[in-house]
Amino acid sequence: MKQPLSRSSSISLTATQGRKTFLITLTVSLIFTGMLVAAFSTGAVGSPAPSAVSTPSRSMAQHAQAEHGFAHIVKAVRPAVVNITASKAMGTGFSDAPGLPDWFKHGPQHNPFFGMPPVPKPRQEPRGMGMGSGVIVSPEGYVVTNHHVVEGAQSVTVALLDKREFTGSIVGSDPQTDLAVIKIQGDNLPFIPWGDSSKLDVGDYVLAVGSPFGLRSTVTQGIVSAKGRGGMGITQYEDFIQTDAAINPGNSGGALVNMRGELVGINTAILSRTGGYQGVSLAIPATIGRHVYTSLMTTGKVTRGFLGVGIQAVTPDLAKSFHLDRPDGAIVTEVREHSPADRAGLRRGDTIIRYQDQAIAGPRELQRGVTTTPVGTEVTITVMRDGAEQSLRTTIVEHPMGQQVASAQEPDTESRLAGLAVEDLTPRLAKQFGVDGGVTGVMVTGIRAGSQAEKAGLVQGDVIREINHEPVQSSQDFRQAVNTLPSEQPILLFINRQGTPLFLTVKV
């Protein structure tokens, strides 16, 4: 987890069913960060280096379950999954400053009332141990783990299944995906080869290997429950594999392998009410993990591709408004000036349906495709524009720091527009609601309780910029547009909400 087990940090998601409200706690599975775990420490044991892990053949994978369960695969991959102990400094609010009496100790050597000065003690910085898992991915000793396992570590110890221990050095770390790479010195080390997580199907068997609760080399089995999970708030780039393989605190950074013995994911989080396993586990897919690993190894940093668009998901109502056959793709809500998207000729309102040769089901597929594209690559982007398909080309550049490729905002589409009070967007209102100076439109300043507008999801501070693709620059434009709306057709609004442009469909 990202927080100590004793004070498990959680993100609360609220779901209402009938009149009962349930609290779902999202717990990231790092064990004992900041806790003293001296009891788990072990000394180095010199053992001969095992040979590199060999991938089980297809026939082995086919017969493993029938004859020996998953033993063949476990025997091949288990030696390459390691236990990681990170020594971290712990802050304190108190110190034994020289010459400062300790009023809570007893005896003449400590108490100033005995007429003797206190004996100063050297200040020692409290230390703690964090524990997690990792995966050796090359015979040269490169280990992939979670960023939160080694975050703030002053020293890292890597222990193998054969009880050998190595001092690890952090090659690089990427908080945006919660991945890190460690290097240990050794020859002919066991390793697990990278697999292609994009080929996983829901229902495929997978094995999770790690050190839950410090229990080294624990193996659990499950299936792929879902793919492309995001919106969890764990990392900036989320495209998790969901499994029902048992994952617990300490499994962070461990391996998720397929029936070929290939690394298809890095276990990182669980969805839980209690802080322990409850059937929903999340892993970072190998498609992301391998890109981060390769980038850290070659450049010392994570280099991501950048397109320069704001995007949102396509809902059934938006699909109708944009003349799409089905609610797939990513609608462009913003095109940044001088960006690759701008040079390609992308426009607001375009729906991206393919990137290179890959179909785009939603914003996450586009984000994953763009960020993992090597900088300088010329790409083809297929869009739907005014009901017609077009192909555009551009060259991907490096992602600027601090910027986001895309933000996926789900519009509310519950009811038709009504009950709004709007005003011209003045500099005073723009400043009050934090609206960028370049935005034009009308500001929503009031919504009647229980009105259609309130049910539509519009909120005070929204800036309405277009109605059915017609620009709105004043309250007069707004009134004229509303008065001429077809009575039996949905209304398509283009708004700006706290700096984020998005489309919103209001039903009939």
PDB file of all heavy atoms in Angstrom, residues 309-313 331 333-334 336 348 404 406-411 433-436 439 461-465 493-504:
ATOM      1  N   VAL A 309      -4.645  16.773 -27.201  1.00  0.00           N
ATOM      2  CA  VAL A 309      -6.093  16.922 -27.285  1.00  0.00           C
ATOM      3  C   VAL A 309      -6.715  16.695 -25.918  1.00  0.00           C
ATOM      4  O   VAL A 309      -6.174  15.977 -25.090  1.00  0.00           O
ATOM      5  CB  VAL A 309      -6.724  15.917 -28.284  1.00  0.00           C
ATOM      6  CG1 VAL A 309      -6.334  16.247 -29.700  1.00  0.00           C
ATOM      7  CG2 VAL A 309      -6.360  14.480 -27.934  1.00  0.00           C
ATOM      8  N   GLY A 310      -7.870  17.334 -25.711  1.00  0.00           N
ATOM      9  CA  GLY A 310      -8.738  16.975 -24.605  1.00  0.00           C
ATOM     10  C   GLY A 310      -9.821  16.063 -25.158  1.00  0.00           C
ATOM     11  O   GLY A 310     -10.313  16.282 -26.267  1.00  0.00           O
ATOM     12  N   ILE A 311     -10.172  15.029 -24.427  1.00  0.00           N
ATOM     13  CA  ILE A 311     -11.126  14.047 -24.948  1.00  0.00           C
ATOM     14  C   ILE A 311     -12.104  13.640 -23.865  1.00  0.00           C
ATOM     15  O   ILE A 311     -11.861  13.847 -22.666  1.00  0.00           O
ATOM     16  CB  ILE A 311     -10.423  12.778 -25.489  1.00  0.00           C
ATOM     17  CG1 ILE A 311      -9.473  12.209 -24.434  1.00  0.00           C
ATOM     18  CG2 ILE A 311      -9.708  13.062 -26.784  1.00  0.00           C
ATOM     19  CD1 ILE A 311      -8.788  10.929 -24.843  1.00  0.00           C
ATOM     20  N   GLN A 312     -13.216  13.050 -24.283  1.00  0.00           N
ATOM     21  CA  GLN A 312     -14.186  12.490 -23.364  1.00  0.00           C
ATOM     22  C   GLN A 312     -14.830  11.270 -23.994  1.00  0.00           C
ATOM     23  O   GLN A 312     -14.730  11.046 -25.208  1.00  0.00           O
ATOM     24  CB  GLN A 312     -15.252  13.514 -22.968  1.00  0.00           C
ATOM     25  CG  GLN A 312     -16.241  13.853 -24.066  1.00  0.00           C
ATOM     26  CD  GLN A 312     -17.319  14.829 -23.607  1.00  0.00           C
ATOM     27  OE1 GLN A 312     -17.107  16.019 -23.635  1.00  0.00           O
ATOM     28  NE2 GLN A 312     -18.459  14.312 -23.199  1.00  0.00           N
ATOM     29  N   ALA A 313     -15.480  10.479 -23.155  1.00  0.00           N
ATOM     30  CA  ALA A 313     -16.114   9.251 -23.623  1.00  0.00           C
ATOM     31  C   ALA A 313     -17.367   9.571 -24.442  1.00  0.00           C
ATOM     32  O   ALA A 313     -17.974  10.635 -24.296  1.00  0.00           O
ATOM     33  CB  ALA A 313     -16.466   8.357 -22.438  1.00  0.00           C
ATOM     34  N   ILE A 331     -14.299  11.560 -28.078  1.00  0.00           N
ATOM     35  CA  ILE A 331     -14.682  12.844 -28.659  1.00  0.00           C
ATOM     36  C   ILE A 331     -13.654  13.909 -28.287  1.00  0.00           C
ATOM     37  O   ILE A 331     -13.285  14.052 -27.121  1.00  0.00           O
ATOM     38  CB  ILE A 331     -16.079  13.281 -28.187  1.00  0.00           C
ATOM     39  CG1 ILE A 331     -17.125  12.264 -28.635  1.00  0.00           C
ATOM     40  CG2 ILE A 331     -16.427  14.667 -28.717  1.00  0.00           C
ATOM     41  CD1 ILE A 331     -18.521  12.571 -28.131  1.00  0.00           C
ATOM     42  N   THR A 333     -12.552  17.386 -27.309  1.00  0.00           N
ATOM     43  CA  THR A 333     -13.158  18.572 -26.699  1.00  0.00           C
ATOM     44  C   THR A 333     -12.253  19.785 -26.768  1.00  0.00           C
ATOM     45  O   THR A 333     -12.700  20.911 -26.547  1.00  0.00           O
ATOM     46  CB  THR A 333     -13.491  18.299 -25.224  1.00  0.00           C
ATOM     47  OG1 THR A 333     -12.280  17.999 -24.501  1.00  0.00           O
ATOM     48  CG2 THR A 333     -14.460  17.138 -25.086  1.00  0.00           C
ATOM     49  N   GLU A 334     -10.978  19.558 -27.056  1.00  0.00           N
ATOM     50  CA  GLU A 334     -10.024  20.660 -27.084  1.00  0.00           C
ATOM     51  C   GLU A 334      -8.829  20.255 -27.929  1.00  0.00           C
ATOM     52  O   GLU A 334      -8.367  19.107 -27.876  1.00  0.00           O
ATOM     53  CB  GLU A 334      -9.557  20.996 -25.661  1.00  0.00           C
ATOM     54  CG  GLU A 334      -8.547  22.121 -25.565  1.00  0.00           C
ATOM     55  CD  GLU A 334      -8.054  22.335 -24.144  1.00  0.00           C
ATOM     56  OE1 GLU A 334      -8.239  21.433 -23.304  1.00  0.00           O
ATOM     57  OE2 GLU A 334      -7.484  23.399 -23.877  1.00  0.00           O
ATOM     58  N   ARG A 336      -4.974  21.683 -28.636  1.00  0.00           N
ATOM     59  CA  ARG A 336      -3.996  22.669 -28.184  1.00  0.00           C
ATOM     60  C   ARG A 336      -3.213  23.230 -29.371  1.00  0.00           C
ATOM     61  O   ARG A 336      -2.808  22.501 -30.274  1.00  0.00           O
ATOM     62  CB  ARG A 336      -3.037  22.045 -27.175  1.00  0.00           C
ATOM     63  CG  ARG A 336      -3.776  21.512 -25.974  1.00  0.00           C
ATOM     64  CD  ARG A 336      -2.864  21.118 -24.861  1.00  0.00           C
ATOM     65  NE  ARG A 336      -3.634  20.599 -23.740  1.00  0.00           N
ATOM     66  CZ  ARG A 336      -3.107  20.220 -22.597  1.00  0.00           C
ATOM     67  NH1 ARG A 336      -1.810  20.303 -22.410  1.00  0.00           N
ATOM     68  NH2 ARG A 336      -3.885  19.755 -21.625  1.00  0.00           N
ATOM     69  N   ARG A 348     -12.315  20.252 -32.697  1.00  0.00           N
ATOM     70  CA  ARG A 348     -13.238  19.971 -31.603  1.00  0.00           C
ATOM     71  C   ARG A 348     -14.521  19.375 -32.177  1.00  0.00           C
ATOM     72  O   ARG A 348     -15.076  19.891 -33.146  1.00  0.00           O
ATOM     73  CB  ARG A 348     -13.552  21.251 -30.832  1.00  0.00           C
ATOM     74  CG  ARG A 348     -14.321  20.993 -29.550  1.00  0.00           C
ATOM     75  CD  ARG A 348     -14.526  22.264 -28.751  1.00  0.00           C
ATOM     76  NE  ARG A 348     -15.455  23.163 -29.398  1.00  0.00           N
ATOM     77  CZ  ARG A 348     -15.285  24.471 -29.542  1.00  0.00           C
ATOM     78  NH1 ARG A 348     -14.193  25.052 -29.094  1.00  0.00           N
ATOM     79  NH2 ARG A 348     -16.194  25.205 -30.151  1.00  0.00           N
ATOM     80  N   GLN A 404      -1.533  16.945 -19.222  1.00  0.00           N
ATOM     81  CA  GLN A 404      -2.224  15.684 -19.375  1.00  0.00           C
ATOM     82  C   GLN A 404      -2.628  15.512 -20.834  1.00  0.00           C
ATOM     83  O   GLN A 404      -3.024  16.456 -21.503  1.00  0.00           O
ATOM     84  CB  GLN A 404      -3.478  15.630 -18.494  1.00  0.00           C
ATOM     85  CG  GLN A 404      -3.180  15.678 -17.009  1.00  0.00           C
ATOM     86  CD  GLN A 404      -4.442  15.571 -16.200  1.00  0.00           C
ATOM     87  OE1 GLN A 404      -5.538  15.565 -16.720  1.00  0.00           O
ATOM     88  NE2 GLN A 404      -4.284  15.479 -14.897  1.00  0.00           N
ATOM     89  N   ALA A 406      -5.093  13.677 -21.908  1.00  0.00           N
ATOM     90  CA  ALA A 406      -6.540  13.693 -22.050  1.00  0.00           C
ATOM     91  C   ALA A 406      -7.186  13.604 -20.693  1.00  0.00           C
ATOM     92  O   ALA A 406      -6.615  13.102 -19.749  1.00  0.00           O
ATOM     93  CB  ALA A 406      -6.989  12.524 -22.907  1.00  0.00           C
ATOM     94  N   SER A 407      -8.397  14.108 -20.595  1.00  0.00           N
ATOM     95  CA  SER A 407      -9.187  13.924 -19.386  1.00  0.00           C
ATOM     96  C   SER A 407     -10.526  13.369 -19.803  1.00  0.00           C
ATOM     97  O   SER A 407     -11.167  13.886 -20.711  1.00  0.00           O
ATOM     98  CB  SER A 407      -9.373  15.256 -18.648  1.00  0.00           C
ATOM     99  OG  SER A 407      -9.986  16.198 -19.492  1.00  0.00           O
ATOM    100  N   ALA A 408     -10.933  12.289 -19.157  1.00  0.00           N
ATOM    101  CA  ALA A 408     -12.196  11.641 -19.519  1.00  0.00           C
ATOM    102  C   ALA A 408     -13.271  12.071 -18.547  1.00  0.00           C
ATOM    103  O   ALA A 408     -13.256  11.697 -17.390  1.00  0.00           O
ATOM    104  CB  ALA A 408     -12.031  10.129 -19.500  1.00  0.00           C
ATOM    105  N   GLN A 409     -14.197  12.884 -18.994  1.00  0.00           N
ATOM    106  CA  GLN A 409     -15.282  13.361 -18.166  1.00  0.00           C
ATOM    107  C   GLN A 409     -16.594  12.790 -18.673  1.00  0.00           C
ATOM    108  O   GLN A 409     -16.899  12.889 -19.855  1.00  0.00           O
ATOM    109  CB  GLN A 409     -15.360  14.896 -18.199  1.00  0.00           C
ATOM    110  CG  GLN A 409     -14.114  15.586 -17.650  1.00  0.00           C
ATOM    111  CD  GLN A 409     -14.055  15.520 -16.160  1.00  0.00           C
ATOM    112  OE1 GLN A 409     -15.060  15.305 -15.498  1.00  0.00           O
ATOM    113  NE2 GLN A 409     -12.871  15.695 -15.603  1.00  0.00           N
ATOM    114  N   GLU A 410     -17.351  12.187 -17.788  1.00  0.00           N
ATOM    115  CA  GLU A 410     -18.638  11.621 -18.177  1.00  0.00           C
ATOM    116  C   GLU A 410     -19.729  12.670 -17.996  1.00  0.00           C
ATOM    117  O   GLU A 410     -19.972  13.131 -16.875  1.00  0.00           O
ATOM    118  CB  GLU A 410     -18.960  10.399 -17.312  1.00  0.00           C
ATOM    119  CG  GLU A 410     -18.025   9.238 -17.558  1.00  0.00           C
ATOM    120  CD  GLU A 410     -18.217   8.599 -18.906  1.00  0.00           C
ATOM    121  OE1 GLU A 410     -19.259   8.849 -19.538  1.00  0.00           O
ATOM    122  OE2 GLU A 410     -17.335   7.849 -19.341  1.00  0.00           O
ATOM    123  N   PRO A 411     -20.398  13.093 -19.068  1.00  0.00           N
ATOM    124  CA  PRO A 411     -21.466  14.073 -18.928  1.00  0.00           C
ATOM    125  C   PRO A 411     -22.704  13.446 -18.326  1.00  0.00           C
ATOM    126  O   PRO A 411     -22.948  12.255 -18.468  1.00  0.00           O
ATOM    127  CB  PRO A 411     -21.731  14.526 -20.369  1.00  0.00           C
ATOM    128  CG  PRO A 411     -21.341  13.342 -21.183  1.00  0.00           C
ATOM    129  CD  PRO A 411     -20.190  12.692 -20.460  1.00  0.00           C
ATOM    130  N   PHE A 433     -15.008  32.558 -10.467  1.00  0.00           N
ATOM    131  CA  PHE A 433     -15.148  31.115 -10.666  1.00  0.00           C
ATOM    132  C   PHE A 433     -13.899  30.477 -11.285  1.00  0.00           C
ATOM    133  O   PHE A 433     -13.925  29.310 -11.657  1.00  0.00           O
ATOM    134  CB  PHE A 433     -16.360  30.824 -11.547  1.00  0.00           C
ATOM    135  CG  PHE A 433     -17.676  31.070 -10.849  1.00  0.00           C
ATOM    136  CD1 PHE A 433     -18.321  32.290 -10.959  1.00  0.00           C
ATOM    137  CD2 PHE A 433     -18.256  30.074 -10.071  1.00  0.00           C
ATOM    138  CE1 PHE A 433     -19.533  32.517 -10.320  1.00  0.00           C
ATOM    139  CE2 PHE A 433     -19.466  30.299  -9.431  1.00  0.00           C
ATOM    140  CZ  PHE A 433     -20.105  31.520  -9.551  1.00  0.00           C
ATOM    141  N   GLY A 434     -12.813  31.242 -11.378  1.00  0.00           N
ATOM    142  CA  GLY A 434     -11.563  30.681 -11.863  1.00  0.00           C
ATOM    143  C   GLY A 434     -11.588  30.274 -13.314  1.00  0.00           C
ATOM    144  O   GLY A 434     -10.980  29.276 -13.699  1.00  0.00           O
ATOM    145  N   VAL A 435     -12.285  31.047 -14.157  1.00  0.00           N
ATOM    146  CA  VAL A 435     -12.387  30.737 -15.581  1.00  0.00           C
ATOM    147  C   VAL A 435     -11.253  31.415 -16.335  1.00  0.00           C
ATOM    148  O   VAL A 435     -10.947  32.586 -16.099  1.00  0.00           O
ATOM    149  CB  VAL A 435     -13.747  31.196 -16.147  1.00  0.00           C
ATOM    150  CG1 VAL A 435     -13.830  30.915 -17.647  1.00  0.00           C
ATOM    151  CG2 VAL A 435     -14.878  30.506 -15.414  1.00  0.00           C
ATOM    152  N   ASP A 436     -10.628  30.675 -17.239  1.00  0.00           N
ATOM    153  CA  ASP A 436      -9.536  31.215 -18.043  1.00  0.00           C
ATOM    154  C   ASP A 436     -10.007  32.412 -18.861  1.00  0.00           C
ATOM    155  O   ASP A 436     -11.135  32.436 -19.367  1.00  0.00           O
ATOM    156  CB  ASP A 436      -9.002  30.131 -18.976  1.00  0.00           C
ATOM    157  CG  ASP A 436      -7.756  30.588 -19.715  1.00  0.00           C
ATOM    158  OD1 ASP A 436      -7.906  31.203 -20.789  1.00  0.00           O
ATOM    159  OD2 ASP A 436      -6.655  30.348 -19.210  1.00  0.00           O
ATOM    160  N   VAL A 439     -11.722  32.044 -22.425  1.00  0.00           N
ATOM    161  CA  VAL A 439     -12.997  31.341 -22.589  1.00  0.00           C
ATOM    162  C   VAL A 439     -14.113  32.348 -22.822  1.00  0.00           C
ATOM    163  O   VAL A 439     -14.211  33.367 -22.132  1.00  0.00           O
ATOM    164  CB  VAL A 439     -13.318  30.474 -21.352  1.00  0.00           C
ATOM    165  CG1 VAL A 439     -14.704  29.858 -21.456  1.00  0.00           C
ATOM    166  CG2 VAL A 439     -12.270  29.388 -21.186  1.00  0.00           C
ATOM    167  N   GLY A 461     -21.415  27.992 -12.143  1.00  0.00           N
ATOM    168  CA  GLY A 461     -20.024  28.163 -12.531  1.00  0.00           C
ATOM    169  C   GLY A 461     -19.700  27.558 -13.885  1.00  0.00           C
ATOM    170  O   GLY A 461     -18.651  27.862 -14.458  1.00  0.00           O
ATOM    171  N   ASP A 462     -20.583  26.685 -14.405  1.00  0.00           N
ATOM    172  CA  ASP A 462     -20.383  26.170 -15.759  1.00  0.00           C
ATOM    173  C   ASP A 462     -20.486  27.316 -16.767  1.00  0.00           C
ATOM    174  O   ASP A 462     -21.307  28.227 -16.603  1.00  0.00           O
ATOM    175  CB  ASP A 462     -21.439  25.116 -16.110  1.00  0.00           C
ATOM    176  CG  ASP A 462     -21.177  23.772 -15.449  1.00  0.00           C
ATOM    177  OD1 ASP A 462     -20.086  23.589 -14.890  1.00  0.00           O
ATOM    178  OD2 ASP A 462     -22.076  22.910 -15.492  1.00  0.00           O
ATOM    179  N   VAL A 463     -19.669  27.249 -17.795  1.00  0.00           N
ATOM    180  CA  VAL A 463     -19.730  28.237 -18.876  1.00  0.00           C
ATOM    181  C   VAL A 463     -20.259  27.529 -20.122  1.00  0.00           C
ATOM    182  O   VAL A 463     -19.623  26.599 -20.634  1.00  0.00           O
ATOM    183  CB  VAL A 463     -18.363  28.865 -19.162  1.00  0.00           C
ATOM    184  CG1 VAL A 463     -18.460  29.849 -20.334  1.00  0.00           C
ATOM    185  CG2 VAL A 463     -17.829  29.576 -17.924  1.00  0.00           C
ATOM    186  N   ILE A 464     -21.428  27.951 -20.593  1.00  0.00           N
ATOM    187  CA  ILE A 464     -22.005  27.379 -21.810  1.00  0.00           C
ATOM    188  C   ILE A 464     -21.414  28.114 -23.006  1.00  0.00           C
ATOM    189  O   ILE A 464     -21.590  29.323 -23.166  1.00  0.00           O
ATOM    190  CB  ILE A 464     -23.537  27.500 -21.804  1.00  0.00           C
ATOM    191  CG1 ILE A 464     -24.121  26.743 -20.610  1.00  0.00           C
ATOM    192  CG2 ILE A 464     -24.125  26.970 -23.109  1.00  0.00           C
ATOM    193  CD1 ILE A 464     -25.621  26.901 -20.453  1.00  0.00           C
ATOM    194  N   ARG A 465     -20.715  27.367 -23.856  1.00  0.00           N
ATOM    195  CA  ARG A 465     -20.013  27.981 -24.981  1.00  0.00           C
ATOM    196  C   ARG A 465     -20.719  27.758 -26.315  1.00  0.00           C
ATOM    197  O   ARG A 465     -20.609  28.580 -27.220  1.00  0.00           O
ATOM    198  CB  ARG A 465     -18.586  27.425 -25.056  1.00  0.00           C
ATOM    199  CG  ARG A 465     -17.773  27.659 -23.778  1.00  0.00           C
ATOM    200  CD  ARG A 465     -16.373  27.102 -23.893  1.00  0.00           C
ATOM    201  NE  ARG A 465     -15.627  27.741 -24.970  1.00  0.00           N
ATOM    202  CZ  ARG A 465     -14.392  27.411 -25.324  1.00  0.00           C
ATOM    203  NH1 ARG A 465     -13.772  26.436 -24.683  1.00  0.00           N
ATOM    204  NH2 ARG A 465     -13.782  28.030 -26.310  1.00  0.00           N
ATOM    205  N   LEU A 493     -24.848  20.497 -25.629  1.00  0.00           N
ATOM    206  CA  LEU A 493     -24.158  21.656 -25.064  1.00  0.00           C
ATOM    207  C   LEU A 493     -22.654  21.414 -25.090  1.00  0.00           C
ATOM    208  O   LEU A 493     -22.182  20.306 -24.835  1.00  0.00           O
ATOM    209  CB  LEU A 493     -24.594  21.907 -23.621  1.00  0.00           C
ATOM    210  CG  LEU A 493     -26.075  22.182 -23.353  1.00  0.00           C
ATOM    211  CD1 LEU A 493     -26.299  22.386 -21.861  1.00  0.00           C
ATOM    212  CD2 LEU A 493     -26.557  23.386 -24.133  1.00  0.00           C
ATOM    213  N   PHE A 494     -21.906  22.477 -25.369  1.00  0.00           N
ATOM    214  CA  PHE A 494     -20.459  22.455 -25.179  1.00  0.00           C
ATOM    215  C   PHE A 494     -20.162  23.456 -24.079  1.00  0.00           C
ATOM    216  O   PHE A 494     -20.459  24.646 -24.212  1.00  0.00           O
ATOM    217  CB  PHE A 494     -19.722  22.837 -26.464  1.00  0.00           C
ATOM    218  CG  PHE A 494     -18.231  22.853 -26.312  1.00  0.00           C
ATOM    219  CD1 PHE A 494     -17.541  21.696 -25.994  1.00  0.00           C
ATOM    220  CD2 PHE A 494     -17.513  24.032 -26.480  1.00  0.00           C
ATOM    221  CE1 PHE A 494     -16.164  21.699 -25.850  1.00  0.00           C
ATOM    222  CE2 PHE A 494     -16.139  24.046 -26.341  1.00  0.00           C
ATOM    223  CZ  PHE A 494     -15.461  22.879 -26.019  1.00  0.00           C
ATOM    224  N   ILE A 495     -19.599  22.974 -22.967  1.00  0.00           N
ATOM    225  CA  ILE A 495     -19.410  23.823 -21.790  1.00  0.00           C
ATOM    226  C   ILE A 495     -17.958  23.767 -21.341  1.00  0.00           C
ATOM    227  O   ILE A 495     -17.168  22.930 -21.773  1.00  0.00           O
ATOM    228  CB  ILE A 495     -20.338  23.403 -20.632  1.00  0.00           C
ATOM    229  CG1 ILE A 495     -19.895  22.048 -20.048  1.00  0.00           C
ATOM    230  CG2 ILE A 495     -21.790  23.337 -21.080  1.00  0.00           C
ATOM    231  CD1 ILE A 495     -20.647  21.660 -18.782  1.00  0.00           C
ATOM    232  N   ASN A 496     -17.631  24.685 -20.450  1.00  0.00           N
ATOM    233  CA  ASN A 496     -16.334  24.678 -19.773  1.00  0.00           C
ATOM    234  C   ASN A 496     -16.611  24.592 -18.280  1.00  0.00           C
ATOM    235  O   ASN A 496     -17.318  25.434 -17.730  1.00  0.00           O
ATOM    236  CB  ASN A 496     -15.536  25.945 -20.116  1.00  0.00           C
ATOM    237  CG  ASN A 496     -14.145  25.915 -19.529  1.00  0.00           C
ATOM    238  OD1 ASN A 496     -13.956  26.019 -18.323  1.00  0.00           O
ATOM    239  ND2 ASN A 496     -13.152  25.792 -20.388  1.00  0.00           N
ATOM    240  N   ARG A 497     -16.072  23.576 -17.640  1.00  0.00           N
ATOM    241  CA  ARG A 497     -16.289  23.366 -16.207  1.00  0.00           C
ATOM    242  C   ARG A 497     -14.944  23.339 -15.495  1.00  0.00           C
ATOM    243  O   ARG A 497     -14.170  22.409 -15.643  1.00  0.00           O
ATOM    244  CB  ARG A 497     -17.053  22.076 -15.953  1.00  0.00           C
ATOM    245  CG  ARG A 497     -17.247  21.743 -14.470  1.00  0.00           C
ATOM    246  CD  ARG A 497     -18.150  20.535 -14.286  1.00  0.00           C
ATOM    247  NE  ARG A 497     -19.509  20.846 -14.709  1.00  0.00           N
ATOM    248  CZ  ARG A 497     -20.461  19.921 -14.865  1.00  0.00           C
ATOM    249  NH1 ARG A 497     -20.191  18.640 -14.644  1.00  0.00           N
ATOM    250  NH2 ARG A 497     -21.674  20.283 -15.242  1.00  0.00           N
ATOM    251  N   GLN A 498     -14.658  24.407 -14.767  1.00  0.00           N
ATOM    252  CA  GLN A 498     -13.417  24.514 -14.000  1.00  0.00           C
ATOM    253  C   GLN A 498     -12.193  24.255 -14.868  1.00  0.00           C
ATOM    254  O   GLN A 498     -11.271  23.547 -14.489  1.00  0.00           O
ATOM    255  CB  GLN A 498     -13.444  23.562 -12.800  1.00  0.00           C
ATOM    256  CG  GLN A 498     -14.536  23.900 -11.806  1.00  0.00           C
ATOM    257  CD  GLN A 498     -14.552  22.951 -10.624  1.00  0.00           C
ATOM    258  OE1 GLN A 498     -13.959  21.883 -10.651  1.00  0.00           O
ATOM    259  NE2 GLN A 498     -15.245  23.337  -9.564  1.00  0.00           N
ATOM    260  N   GLY A 499     -12.228  24.810 -16.069  1.00  0.00           N
ATOM    261  CA  GLY A 499     -11.091  24.688 -16.966  1.00  0.00           C
ATOM    262  C   GLY A 499     -11.117  23.484 -17.881  1.00  0.00           C
ATOM    263  O   GLY A 499     -10.276  23.371 -18.769  1.00  0.00           O
ATOM    264  N   THR A 500     -12.091  22.584 -17.695  1.00  0.00           N
ATOM    265  CA  THR A 500     -12.169  21.381 -18.524  1.00  0.00           C
ATOM    266  C   THR A 500     -13.288  21.520 -19.543  1.00  0.00           C
ATOM    267  O   THR A 500     -14.453  21.665 -19.166  1.00  0.00           O
ATOM    268  CB  THR A 500     -12.437  20.136 -17.660  1.00  0.00           C
ATOM    269  OG1 THR A 500     -11.372  19.980 -16.726  1.00  0.00           O
ATOM    270  CG2 THR A 500     -12.534  18.889 -18.527  1.00  0.00           C
ATOM    271  N   PRO A 501     -12.971  21.476 -20.835  1.00  0.00           N
ATOM    272  CA  PRO A 501     -14.025  21.532 -21.844  1.00  0.00           C
ATOM    273  C   PRO A 501     -14.663  20.160 -22.019  1.00  0.00           C
ATOM    274  O   PRO A 501     -13.971  19.137 -22.020  1.00  0.00           O
ATOM    275  CB  PRO A 501     -13.278  21.945 -23.111  1.00  0.00           C
ATOM    276  CG  PRO A 501     -11.898  21.433 -22.912  1.00  0.00           C
ATOM    277  CD  PRO A 501     -11.632  21.459 -21.426  1.00  0.00           C
ATOM    278  N   LEU A 502     -15.984  20.125 -22.158  1.00  0.00           N
ATOM    279  CA  LEU A 502     -16.661  18.854 -22.388  1.00  0.00           C
ATOM    280  C   LEU A 502     -18.020  19.088 -23.014  1.00  0.00           C
ATOM    281  O   LEU A 502     -18.580  20.178 -22.950  1.00  0.00           O
ATOM    282  CB  LEU A 502     -16.790  18.054 -21.084  1.00  0.00           C
ATOM    283  CG  LEU A 502     -17.536  18.703 -19.907  1.00  0.00           C
ATOM    284  CD1 LEU A 502     -18.972  18.192 -19.867  1.00  0.00           C
ATOM    285  CD2 LEU A 502     -16.851  18.393 -18.618  1.00  0.00           C
ATOM    286  N   PHE A 503     -18.522  18.041 -23.660  1.00  0.00           N
ATOM    287  CA  PHE A 503     -19.854  18.061 -24.250  1.00  0.00           C
ATOM    288  C   PHE A 503     -20.845  17.442 -23.262  1.00  0.00           C
ATOM    289  O   PHE A 503     -20.513  16.559 -22.486  1.00  0.00           O
ATOM    290  CB  PHE A 503     -19.879  17.265 -25.562  1.00  0.00           C
ATOM    291  CG  PHE A 503     -19.158  17.933 -26.698  1.00  0.00           C
ATOM    292  CD1 PHE A 503     -17.857  17.561 -27.007  1.00  0.00           C
ATOM    293  CD2 PHE A 503     -19.780  18.919 -27.453  1.00  0.00           C
ATOM    294  CE1 PHE A 503     -17.177  18.163 -28.061  1.00  0.00           C
ATOM    295  CE2 PHE A 503     -19.111  19.522 -28.497  1.00  0.00           C
ATOM    296  CZ  PHE A 503     -17.808  19.151 -28.818  1.00  0.00           C
ATOM    297  N   LEU A 504     -22.080  17.907 -23.334  1.00  0.00           N
ATOM    298  CA  LEU A 504     -23.151  17.399 -22.488  1.00  0.00           C
ATOM    299  C   LEU A 504     -24.428  17.321 -23.307  1.00  0.00           C
ATOM    300  O   LEU A 504     -24.789  18.306 -23.956  1.00  0.00           O
ATOM    301  CB  LEU A 504     -23.330  18.304 -21.260  1.00  0.00           C
ATOM    302  CG  LEU A 504     -24.273  17.826 -20.166  1.00  0.00           C
ATOM    303  CD1 LEU A 504     -23.825  18.389 -18.816  1.00  0.00           C
ATOM    304  CD2 LEU A 504     -25.698  18.254 -20.425  1.00  0.00           C
TER     305      LEU A 504
END
